[in-house]
């Protein structure tokens, strides 16, 4: 059974860098037909996709965050990470990491099939 | 970006009812829509992928369909544990945006 667990500081000041890590168990971040996503949810609102990284190292980011966000993988620790620079109160949210799967032959049919429990990050002075 | 317009935003129903939730894509996206269920304080859970494929372990009372750019999640014979918020997600292009959500409440 694949399990994901987010970790990182829960309180940041404006202009600091948000750094979260997602530890993966029951599966490998190097797996060929998977990718690793970060998704956030401000209180009382919907889900906002942040970005993802494929086993190949290819990354894709939400364009509105592109200049501030970096997703990376550490295969030695079976973890992947999110860094979001220059945070503001608007970045306050529950942050989820998730595993995505897709059809390895077509590259299609992507979906987030395993999720971490989420971690609340608050940005406040 | 391809926006997903989800409706209704909220819905009241009773145990045993059949309900439908709809997402409309801003353009043709083939079958590339997923559906998730989220309960308060919990992570979303994948129910349906690529419009109509039931995720392993999900009860068969959940089903998905597509008609053009309209996608529907149907829940038959509502159970008490089904009262939650539901989201669609398009995966045709990046970014894979989510709909605004539908909160399903007990009548």
């Amino acid at each position: 059974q694949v399990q994901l667990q987010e970790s990182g500081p829960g309180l940041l000041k404006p202009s600091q860098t948000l750094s979260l890590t997602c530890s993966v168990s029951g599966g490998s971040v190097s797996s060929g037909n998977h990718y690793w996503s970060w998704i956030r949810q401000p209180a009382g609102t919907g889900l906002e996709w942040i970005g993802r990284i494929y086993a190949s190292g290819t990354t894709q980011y939400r364009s509105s965050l592109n200049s501030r966000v970096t997703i990376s993988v550490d295969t030695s620790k079976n973890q992947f990470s999110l860094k979001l620079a220059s945070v503001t109160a608007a970045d306050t949210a529950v942050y989820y990491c998730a595993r995505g799967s897709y059809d390895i032959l077509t590259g299609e049919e992507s979906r987030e099939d395993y999720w971490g429990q989420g971690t609340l990050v608050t940005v406040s002075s | 970006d391809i926006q997903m317009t989800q409706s209704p935003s909220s819905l009241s129903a009773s145990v045993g009812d059949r309900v439908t939730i709809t997402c409309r894509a801003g353009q043709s996206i083939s079958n590339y829509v997923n559906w998730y269920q989220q309960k308060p304080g919990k992570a979303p859970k994948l129910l349906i992928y690529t419009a109509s494929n039931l995720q392993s372990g999900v009860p068969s009372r959940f089903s998905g369909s597509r008609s053009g750019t309209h996608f529907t999640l149907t829940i038959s014979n509502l159970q008490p544990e089904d009262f939650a918020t539901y989201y669609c997600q398009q995966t045709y292009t990046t970014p894979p945006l989510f709909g605004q959500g539908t909160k399903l409440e007990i009548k």
Side-chain angles (χ1 to χ4, degrees), chain A residues 35 39 41 45-49 52 60-63 96 106 108-118, chain B residues 1 32 34 36 38 41-46 49-50 53 55 87 89 91-92 94-100:
Chain A
Y35 58 86
I39 293 156
Q41 186 170 35
T45 67
L47 301 166
E48 182 176 292
W49 183 82
R52 61 189 169 197
Q60 295 174 318
Y61 301 129
R62 187 182 190 93
S63 58
Y96 294 101
T106 66
E108 306 292 350
E109 300 190 24
S110 62
R111 66 274 190 189
E112 274 73 15
D113 52 4
Y114 288 95
W115 295 64
Q117 65 185 26
Chain B
D1 298 358
Y32 298 122
N34 303 327
Y36 299 85
Q38 187 179 33
K42 300 295 186 181
K45 172 187 174 183
L46 177 66
Y49 65 94
T50 317
N53 294 284
Q55 173 68 0
Y87 294 93
Q89 179 199 33
T91 60
Y92 184 72
T94 302
L97 298 181
F98 294 88
Q100 304 95 318

Side-chain angles (χ1 to χ4, degrees), chain A residues 70-118:
Chain A
T70 304
I71 296 175
S72 60
V73 163
D74 186 337
T75 56
S76 67
K77 296 181 179 179
N78 213 35
Q79 296 175 337
F80 64 106
S81 299
L82 168 70
K83 290 190 186 299
L84 183 65
S86 305
V87 297
T88 70
D91 295 310
T92 295
V94 174
Y95 285 73
Y96 294 101
C97 61
R99 187 191 83 167
S101 296
Y102 59 92
D103 184 287
I104 200 165
L105 294 179
T106 66
E108 306 292 350
E109 300 190 24
S110 62
R111 66 274 190 189
E112 274 73 15
D113 52 4
Y114 288 95
W115 295 64
Q117 65 185 26

